[in-house]
Amino acid sequence: MIRYFLCLFLISCNPQIDKNNISFIIEDIRKNYAPDKRVSLFDIDFSIEQKSIVLRGETNIPTAKKELLTSFKKNNILFVDSIQIIPSQELFGIINNSVGNLRAKPSHSSELVSQTLLGTNVKVLKRVGEWYLIQTPDNYISWIDHGGIELVSEEFFIKYYTEKYFYNQPHGYSYESRKMTQIVSDLVVGSILNVIEKENNLSKIQYPDKRIGWVETKNLTRIQDLKVKPMNFIENSKKFLGIPYLWGGTSSNGFDCSGFTKTIYLMNGLVIPRDASQQVNEGILVDNSRNWENLKPGDLMFFGYFKNGVRRIDHVAMWLGEGKFIQASKNVRINSVFSDDPLYDKYHMDKYFESRRLIGNITSGVSLL
């Protein structure tokens, strides 16, 4: 009891010290449970009202909230819990456009941080106006406008994925009828399509919003038939040569460096993390001394710099073999690691750190499509 009243006295008489202690507890929980805000949410703040700590904010990690409250109780800190767990109810969402643009904030003028593709199932965390905060299969958290996502029933959500088909061309269209004249929408490689009927060389597809379209069957691959073979990585990557660089791009309409490598892996049935600084944590290390004989086609090469003594990874490319690698930089292009080669990329080779092999070495951040 004495300790309890002492806590109240400290809060009211020396708020600065107590605020620092409260901030330390919150930050310690955040570091343990949500060190990367791109894939986990722990947005918690507090105020002091009537000699009590009022905790506000939201998180998608119930265990993190539970530990935070337990820590406050153990320290005899009086508090009011106004923290929300999201989602507050289970919502089922499927991406409804060929490319869903993902923003840092719920605004079209906000930074494009990533993209997601038609047919991708996403976790809906909350809604603000006409925007949804979602989490994609690679756990990336961002905002999408209402036009890019369709909320569906649990039953439809489950049935939509009974047999997934993968659009295997960089660009294409679906059409209203078998005549293949009136366009329904564009399609990009990686679009996940729900095939409901096949007729000769055509397939009838249903969109999440129940629009109907027809596509050429030859442009579809059953996801279960995708093969993780190194030579497929080379063949698929060269389909995108010349496609322009786009910050935040992960579709064949435009790539950033990690969006490009992510898409190549997706074409071979693997879901890898979104950003280069995340991809570098997967697979196994195969080179950090420029011994190019250690590399195999499909290995990822990482580049960066040091800041305040900390290594920063800011670029990724994919090894093709024979001293060549492919990357999205200016556009999708092939470069060389050898200085006497006309394709030598001095800028990036001066920043080379290491290469890693994800093929055949699936770690915690990598999953099958």
Side-chain angles (χ1 to χ4, degrees):
M1 182 63 71
I2 293 175
R3 190 175 179 183
Y4 171 79
F5 282 108
L6 178 60
C7 176
L8 291 182
F9 175 80
L10 288 173
I11 289 174
S12 61
C13 297
N14 201 345
Q16 181 59 47
I17 295 177
D18 290 320
K19 285 182 178 180
N20 288 339
N21 289 337
I22 299 302
S23 296
F24 176 82
I25 293 173
I26 294 174
E27 180 63 13
D28 187 54
I29 300 296
R30 187 197 66 77
K31 287 181 178 179
N32 286 333
Y33 285 92
D36 188 344
K37 65 180 181 180
R38 293 169 294 184
V39 298
S40 51
L41 180 64
F42 190 75
D43 186 13
I44 308 298
D45 202 354
F46 71 95
S47 61
I48 298 175
E49 300 177 13
Q50 297 180 351
K51 300 182 179 180
S52 293
I53 300 296
V54 179
L55 296 171
R56 293 188 175 89
E58 57 192 12
T59 180
N60 66 333
I61 314 171
T63 52
K65 174 183 175 178
K66 182 179 179 181
E67 183 165 330
L68 178 65
L69 301 187
T70 299
S71 181
F72 272 59
K73 291 174 182 177
K74 286 181 178 179
N75 285 278
N76 295 318
I77 299 174
L78 187 65
F79 66 89
V80 175
D81 174 18
S82 293
I83 299 173
Q84 293 185 331
I85 298 291
I86 58 173
S88 57
Q89 64 180 54
E90 192 169 22
L91 297 175
F92 300 91
I94 304 176
I95 300 304
N96 197 45
N97 289 334
S98 61
V99 178
N101 292 321
L102 305 181
R103 305 284 177 181
K105 297 179 181 179
S107 167
H108 286 292
S109 61
S110 179
E111 176 190 5
L112 179 70
V113 294
S114 191
Q115 294 175 320
T116 187
L117 306 181
L118 173 66
T120 302
N121 60 321
V122 297
K123 183 183 296 184
V124 180
L125 299 179
K126 69 174 182 178
R127 179 175 183 172
V128 175
E130 294 186 336
W131 290 83
Y132 292 92
L133 184 66
I134 64 171
Q135 190 167 31
T136 54
D138 57 5
N139 293 320
Y140 217 80
I141 296 174
S142 48
W143 292 91
I144 188 170
D145 72 278
H146 68 110
I149 186 173
E150 185 73 12
L151 297 187
V152 299
S153 67
E154 182 177 7
E155 180 182 8
F156 183 88
F157 184 86
I158 294 172
K159 289 183 177 179
Y160 192 83
Y161 293 103
T162 51
E163 188 171 34
K164 299 180 184 179
Y165 282 81
F166 185 95
Y167 193 75
N168 59 32
Q169 297 300 306
H171 300 98
Y173 298 94
S174 69
Y175 297 88
E176 282 188 348
S177 71
R178 300 173 186 84
K179 296 180 180 180
M180 308 290 277
T181 54
Q182 182 62 47
I183 292 173
V184 175
S185 83
D186 70 315
L187 298 170
V188 298
V189 68
S191 297
I192 300 173
L193 305 177
N194 178 23
V195 176
I196 58 176
E197 182 182 331
K198 288 187 177 181
E199 184 177 302
N200 298 325
N201 62 338
L202 299 178
S203 291
K204 185 178 182 180
I205 64 171
Q206 183 184 55
Y207 286 75
D209 63 2
K210 299 186 179 179
R211 285 175 294 165
I212 297 297
W214 290 85
V215 298
E216 292 185 87
T217 302
K218 67 180 182 180
N219 295 334
L220 304 180
T221 302
R222 285 197 311 170
I223 285 180
Q224 66 187 64
D225 294 333
L226 292 174
K227 303 297 183 182
V228 183
K229 296 181 179 179
M231 296 311 297
N232 289 347
F233 284 72
I234 296 177
E235 179 183 347
N236 289 332
S237 67
K238 291 182 178 180
K239 293 179 179 179
F240 302 115
L241 286 169
I243 286 181
Y245 181 90
L246 175 66
W247 177 268
T250 64
S251 77
S252 47
N253 289 337
F255 295 110
D256 62 21
C257 66
S258 56
F260 175 62
T261 53
K262 178 177 174 59
T263 297
I264 300 306
Y265 272 73
L266 186 70
M267 292 178 72
N268 291 275
L270 293 175
V271 178
I272 67 175
R274 168 64 182 91
D275 294 335
S277 60
Q278 299 169 310
Q279 294 175 10
V280 74
N281 298 319
E282 305 303 330
I284 60 171
L285 178 69
V286 292
D287 175 72
N288 59 6
S289 60
R290 301 177 184 246
N291 187 348
W292 309 121
E293 294 182 357
N294 290 337
L295 274 63
K296 295 181 179 179
D299 289 346
L300 296 184
M301 305 170 66
F302 295 95
F303 310 80
Y305 58 95
F306 282 96
K307 183 177 181 180
N308 298 325
V310 178
R311 190 179 77 161
R312 310 279 185 174
I313 298 296
D314 67 352
H315 188 65
V316 60
M318 193 186 79
W319 182 254
L320 296 176
E322 299 181 349
K324 301 293 194 302
F325 61 94
I326 190 167
Q327 62 178 333
S329 175
K330 299 180 181 178
N331 51 36
V332 177
R333 56 195 175 99
I334 294 174
N335 289 103
S336 172
V337 299
F338 298 126
S339 59
D340 59 350
D341 190 321
L343 296 177
Y344 180 62
D345 181 355
K346 182 179 186 306
Y347 173 77
H348 282 112
M349 291 313 301
D350 285 347
K351 299 171 58 180
Y352 174 77
F353 275 128
E354 66 181 53
S355 296
R356 302 187 70 85
R357 183 166 301 143
L358 280 62
I359 301 172
N361 299 281
I362 294 181
T363 41
S364 61
V366 181
S367 61
L368 296 175
L369 183 62

